[in-house]
């Protein structure tokens, strides 16, 4: 129990720190929201009036308190560019990003686990060499270049999908899935290569341990040893690895959304940076960072659930 | 007797895996050498002027005169890849240097002295390294602006924690070793122990961190320039070329394939080297 409380307290502290650091980082920029919104040509009075109404003439600590209180109520301020609440903008862009992330992660798990186990049967020899070279090569391909290749091959040449023609899930879920499978593949393939390689090393390392010999000597078949004994232990490091992969998938979607013209958070972020729309940038950064931290938190809990040795430390 | 046999068998297997390591390492070195050669030659000479446009040569497929074809402005793609890879490499090397120097200093001091500062910095480190680096880089860029040098600063600072972490853990182990105690007994100062005695022993670990760092820098730069938040014209970079090429995928796919393959071969080369150097 103490372990859980400690973990939760440290999660909350880090989340607070992320909000504080993000807020402070954007205070360094010369100029402020009022100036950004009205432009340099506006009169001094108009800017001053807007500062007053946005609360920008308060001191930095006072503004942080306002900002933090707002966040607790789900209020991330108003976008300079769209004149809309940031929370609404973010919520509208969520389905594309979330859908992309979920489909990618599903693809990664479904493909890499069986493939990793299959590859772990081949240690050394030609097949192993080919697998290693293949995984290393796929890991070296940036997801956005893979996205461009997929657009070229499956979109423009084979015409399996129309590049840039995104369909919202609420409109037509089937069409949404048919489109999303391509960007999701672009994100998933390098990660699948990584996970296959990782799982293979993990299983091979476990197979060399004494308990495998004991299990065999008790008359277990190879298959039973693998499924009942080895897999349980081999999957422990994979959990941590999956945590990292999920964070990477989110980051990867920032770039992939651009390639496939998806109206997601990444596109919103990139456009907001280009237009110096800082409330939006701040909100998305805080959002993605929080998701990453919460995933790490869940991984930690899962980890000590499957591996009781962690709890002793 | 039985033990001897198994020993023989094992060593044969070991040999075999050493051989595969060898060819992978060799392939990595060959790839990195070829790419580096292209970049170094590109500093002094390119087949054509990378920015020379020609209306008559728009979107021409690869040929003898233009081995990688020409782009939508009639510029030679090979010359542009050589030039762009130069920028990408420059950013990668400069970034890793910043991360390496500052990260090593930070890791050395925190690992060697420990204490509350170490504890706090490592917490911060853990949080930073768990964040996707492209997200941190985008935060930096939105504050300090885009362009070649701002990207170097952004990525350089972001890479400090990963170097610091590796160096710190190495110092934690090394400082308890007999040779350090010995040096202390002989009257060596802390700074001398840290940088003359311990630092050379972190060489092999640093080398593999450097190659991974180079890869991350190259990928991050390419991604950001692709989003037009990285290198700005007139500077060329592999990422920018890819983003320009996307509008001409159907008419001239070689415009995208050339810079893309250049990234893949570079990253593959470095990762093969670091992977097989570790063991």
């Amino acid at each position: 129990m103490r372990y859980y409380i400690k973990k939760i307290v440290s999660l909350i502290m880090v989340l607070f720190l992320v909000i504080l650091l993000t807020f402070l980082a954007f205070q360094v920029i010369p100029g402020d929201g009022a100036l950004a919104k009205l432009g340099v040509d506006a009169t001094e009075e108009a800017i001053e009036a807007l500062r007053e109404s946005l609360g920008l003439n308060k001191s930095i600590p006072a503004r942080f308190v306002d900002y933090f209180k707002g966040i607790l109520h789900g209020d991330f301020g108003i976008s300079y560019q769209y004149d809309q609440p940031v929370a609404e903008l973010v919520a509208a862009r969520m389905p594309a990003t979330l859908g992309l992330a979920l489909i990618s992660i599903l693809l990664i798990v479904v493909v890499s686990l069986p493939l990793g186990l299959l590859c772990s049967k081949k240690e050394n020899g030609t097949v192993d060499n080919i697998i290693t070279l293949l995984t290393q090569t796929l890991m070296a391909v940036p997801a956005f270049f893979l996205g461009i290749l997929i657009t070229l091959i499956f979109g423009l040449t084979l015409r399996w999908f129309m590049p840039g023609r995104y369909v919202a899930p609420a409109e037509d879920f089937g069409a949404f899935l048919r489109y999303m499978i391509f960007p999701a593949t672009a994100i998933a393939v390098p990660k699948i290569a990584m996970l296959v390689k990782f799982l293979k090393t993990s299983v091979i390392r476990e197979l060399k341990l004494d308990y495998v010999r004991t299990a065999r000597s008790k008359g277990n078949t190879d298959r039973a040893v693998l499924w009942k004994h080895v897999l349980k232990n081999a999957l422990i490091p994979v959990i941590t690895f999956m945590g990292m992969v999920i964070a990477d998938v989110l980051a990867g979607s920032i770039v992939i959304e651009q390639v496939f013209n998806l109206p997601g958070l990444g596109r919103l972020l990139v456009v907001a940076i280009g237009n110096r729309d800082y409330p939006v940038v701040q909100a998305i950064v805080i959002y993605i960072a929080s998701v990453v931290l919460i995933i790490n938190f869940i991984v930690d809990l899962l980890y000590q659930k499957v591996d009781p040795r962690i709890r002793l430390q | 007797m039985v033990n001897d046999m198994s020993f023989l068998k094992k060593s044969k297997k070991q040999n075999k895996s050493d051989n595969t390591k060898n060819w992978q390492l060799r392939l990595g070195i060959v790839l990195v050498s070829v790419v580096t050669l292209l970049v170094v030659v590109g500093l002094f000479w390119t087949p054509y002027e990378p920015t020379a446009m020609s209306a008559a040569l728009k979107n021409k497929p690869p040929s003898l005169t233009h081995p990688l074809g020409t782009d939508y402005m009639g510029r030679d793609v090979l010359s542009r890849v050589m030039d762009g890879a130069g920028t990408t490499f420059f950013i990668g090397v400069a970034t890793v240097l910043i991360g390496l120097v500052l990260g090593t200093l930070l890791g050395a001091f925190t690992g060697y002295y420990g204490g509350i500062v170490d504890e706090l910095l490592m917490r911060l480190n853990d949080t930073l390294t768990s964040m996707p680096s492209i997200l941190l880089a985008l935060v930096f860029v939105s504050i300090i602006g885009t362009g070649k040098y701002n990207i170097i600063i952004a990525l350089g600072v972001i890479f400090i924690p990963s170097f610091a972490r590796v160096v710190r853990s190495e110092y934690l182990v090394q400082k308890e070793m007999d040779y350090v105690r010995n040096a202390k007994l002989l009257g060596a100062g802390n700074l001398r122990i840290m940088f003359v005695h311990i630092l050379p022993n972190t060489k092999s670990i640093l080398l593999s961190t450097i190659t991974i760092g180079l890869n991350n820098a190259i990928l991050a730069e390419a991604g950001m320039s692709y989003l037009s938040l990285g290198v700005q014209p007139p500077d060329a970079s592999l990422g920018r070329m890819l983003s320009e090429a996307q509008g001409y995928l159907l008419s001239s796919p070689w415009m995208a394939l050339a810079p893309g393959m250049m990234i893949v071969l570079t990253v593959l080369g470095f990762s093969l080297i670091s992977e097989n150097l570790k063991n």
Side-chain angles (χ1 to χ4, degrees):
Chain A
M1 200 57 211
R2 263 190 66 191
Y3 176 84
Y4 291 104
I5 293 172
K6 221 174 119 189
K7 277 273 160 202
I8 291 173
V9 169
S10 99
L11 173 70
I12 292 171
M13 268 167 57
V14 177
L15 282 176
F16 177 77
L17 209 67
V18 164
I19 296 175
L20 180 66
L21 286 178
T22 316
F23 177 83
L24 287 180
F26 285 92
Q27 302 306 315
V28 184
I29 308 164
D32 63 14
L35 204 64
K37 201 167 172 180
L38 296 175
V40 240
D41 301 329
T43 60
E44 202 49 52
E45 293 86 56
I47 292 176
E48 206 45 56
L50 191 66
R51 271 198 192 128
E52 182 73 44
S53 73
L54 288 175
L56 288 174
N57 45 7
K58 290 186 191 168
S59 67
I60 289 184
R63 263 187 290 150
F64 177 68
V65 171
D66 284 351
Y67 188 66
F68 190 68
K69 270 190 198 154
I71 289 180
L72 291 182
H73 294 99
D75 173 14
F76 284 85
I78 309 281
S79 153
Y80 299 154
Q81 187 196 354
Y82 301 98
D83 249 333
Q84 262 181 339
V86 174
E88 272 176 29
L89 282 171
V90 169
R93 300 301 190 99
M94 210 73 102
T97 301
L98 215 61
L100 182 60
L102 285 178
I103 299 171
S104 312
I105 291 163
L106 202 69
L107 263 178
I108 292 171
V109 173
V110 168
V111 178
S112 59
L113 289 187
L115 214 57
L117 286 183
L118 204 68
C119 292
S120 68
K121 288 195 179 137
K122 310 273 179 205
E123 200 193 354
N124 299 321
T126 323
V127 183
D128 183 43
N129 283 342
I130 294 171
I131 293 171
T132 313
L133 195 61
L134 198 66
T135 50
Q136 289 282 13
T137 310
L138 289 177
M139 277 160 61
V141 184
F144 69 94
F145 179 50
L146 202 59
I148 292 175
L149 289 179
I150 288 174
T151 311
L152 177 63
I153 297 169
F154 297 103
L156 298 173
T157 313
L158 296 174
R159 299 193 172 276
W160 288 4
F161 75 108
M162 275 287 281
R165 195 65 62 78
Y166 166 81
V167 185
E171 220 172 284
D172 180 351
F173 195 70
F176 168 75
L177 281 184
R178 274 198 299 281
Y179 188 76
M180 290 304 251
I181 193 77
F182 296 100
T185 308
I187 294 184
V189 167
K191 303 291 165 214
I192 289 173
M194 247 184 219
L195 205 57
V196 164
K197 183 176 166 238
F198 190 79
L199 195 65
K200 185 185 143 205
T201 341
S202 182
V203 169
I204 287 176
R205 192 178 46 224
E206 287 294 324
L207 278 174
K208 291 198 173 117
L209 294 179
D210 286 343
Y211 75 87
V212 174
R213 197 178 44 203
T214 312
R216 279 226 181 88
S217 68
K218 288 193 334 198
N220 278 307
T221 57
D222 278 359
R223 179 174 294 228
V225 171
L226 182 65
W227 287 96
K228 281 195 195 144
H229 300 271
V230 172
L231 202 56
K232 266 189 209 163
N233 289 312
L235 281 180
I236 292 172
V238 173
I239 294 175
T240 319
F241 197 74
M242 269 312 286
M244 275 161 55
V245 166
I246 294 174
D248 269 4
V249 164
L250 271 175
S253 79
I254 295 176
V255 189
I256 284 295
E257 283 171 16
Q258 203 76 12
V259 181
F260 288 89
N261 200 20
L262 300 176
L265 280 183
R267 280 287 296 276
L268 186 63
L269 177 65
V270 171
V271 172
I273 291 175
N275 291 325
R276 305 183 165 268
D277 192 352
Y278 298 123
V280 175
V281 180
Q282 257 173 318
I284 297 178
V285 168
I286 290 174
Y287 175 75
I288 297 182
S290 310
V291 172
V292 171
L293 288 172
I294 290 170
I295 287 167
N296 283 337
F297 171 76
I298 296 172
V299 164
D300 270 359
L301 291 192
L302 272 180
Y303 209 83
Q304 65 99 36
K305 198 109 210 143
V306 273
D307 192 355
R309 281 170 296 184
I310 307 285
R311 252 170 296 182
L312 292 174
Q313 287 164 10
Chain B
M1 202 46 206
V2 173
N3 272 340
D4 273 351
M5 287 298 285
S6 75
F7 170 70
L8 270 177
K9 213 173 160 189
K10 208 169 195 172
S11 84
K12 208 175 165 191
K13 219 173 181 179
Q14 198 65 41
N15 246 341
K16 213 171 172 184
S17 90
D18 277 352
N19 277 337
T20 56
K21 297 252 156 65
N22 248 331
W23 74 255
Q24 285 179 18
L25 187 61
R26 259 186 234 138
L27 180 62
I29 292 173
V30 168
L31 285 176
V32 169
S33 316
V34 170
V35 171
T36 314
L37 191 71
L38 267 180
V39 167
V40 171
V41 170
L43 288 179
F44 305 102
W45 175 84
T46 48
Y48 296 85
E49 194 61 38
T51 49
M53 296 175 237
S54 155
L57 285 170
K58 272 184 193 170
N59 296 329
K60 288 276 177 283
S63 63
L64 279 178
T65 46
H66 294 276
L68 298 179
T70 61
D71 72 359
Y72 66 108
M73 286 175 146
R75 298 174 294 192
D76 179 52
V77 172
L78 175 63
S79 307
R80 286 187 62 73
V81 164
M82 287 166 81
D83 187 39
T87 314
T88 303
F89 264 55
F90 172 68
I91 292 175
V93 171
T95 303
V96 167
L97 268 180
I98 294 177
L100 176 70
V101 172
L102 296 181
T104 304
L105 280 175
L106 200 66
F109 276 100
T110 51
Y112 190 78
Y113 288 109
I116 182 82
V117 180
D118 173 46
E119 187 71 22
L120 280 176
L121 275 177
M122 279 309 124
R123 274 290 138 79
L124 187 68
N125 236 348
D126 285 345
T127 315
L128 280 179
T129 39
S130 72
M131 291 297 148
S133 52
I134 188 130
L135 184 72
L136 294 174
L138 289 179
V139 171
F140 262 95
V141 162
S142 65
I143 292 167
I144 61 177
T146 56
K148 192 158 71 176
Y149 295 103
N150 285 343
I151 296 290
I152 292 174
I153 295 172
L155 292 176
V157 171
I158 289 165
F159 286 164
I160 294 173
S162 57
F163 280 100
R165 177 186 265 189
V166 169
V167 172
R168 175 184 174 268
S169 62
E170 198 66 8
Y171 269 72
L172 277 182
V173 178
Q174 299 277 348
K175 75 174 178 188
E176 305 294 339
M177 289 198 164
D178 284 342
Y179 76 90
V180 173
R181 295 217 176 101
N182 222 356
K184 261 187 197 154
L185 282 177
L186 289 172
N190 282 331
L191 280 179
R192 190 181 166 79
I193 292 177
M194 280 161 72
F195 296 107
V196 180
H197 294 270
I198 300 183
L199 192 62
N201 291 325
T202 59
K203 200 172 56 192
S204 63
I205 267 216
L206 273 181
L207 210 60
S208 110
T209 318
I210 287 172
T211 45
I212 296 171
L214 272 174
N215 270 352
N216 287 337
I218 289 170
L219 288 174
E221 185 279 320
M224 292 175 69
S225 299
Y226 175 76
L227 295 174
S228 343
L229 294 172
V231 173
Q232 299 298 329
D235 283 329
S237 97
L238 298 175
R240 271 209 78 79
M241 291 180 71
L242 274 168
S243 93
E244 280 175 20
Q246 219 188 343
Y248 301 89
L249 263 187
L250 202 55
S251 58
S252 33
W254 47 89
M255 256 177 79
L257 289 175
M261 285 316 291
M262 188 76 177
I263 297 175
V264 173
L265 294 180
T266 312
V267 174
L268 178 63
F270 280 125
S271 63
L272 282 176
I273 291 178
S274 84
E275 194 67 27
N276 296 296
L277 220 55
K278 251 189 275 177
N279 311 313

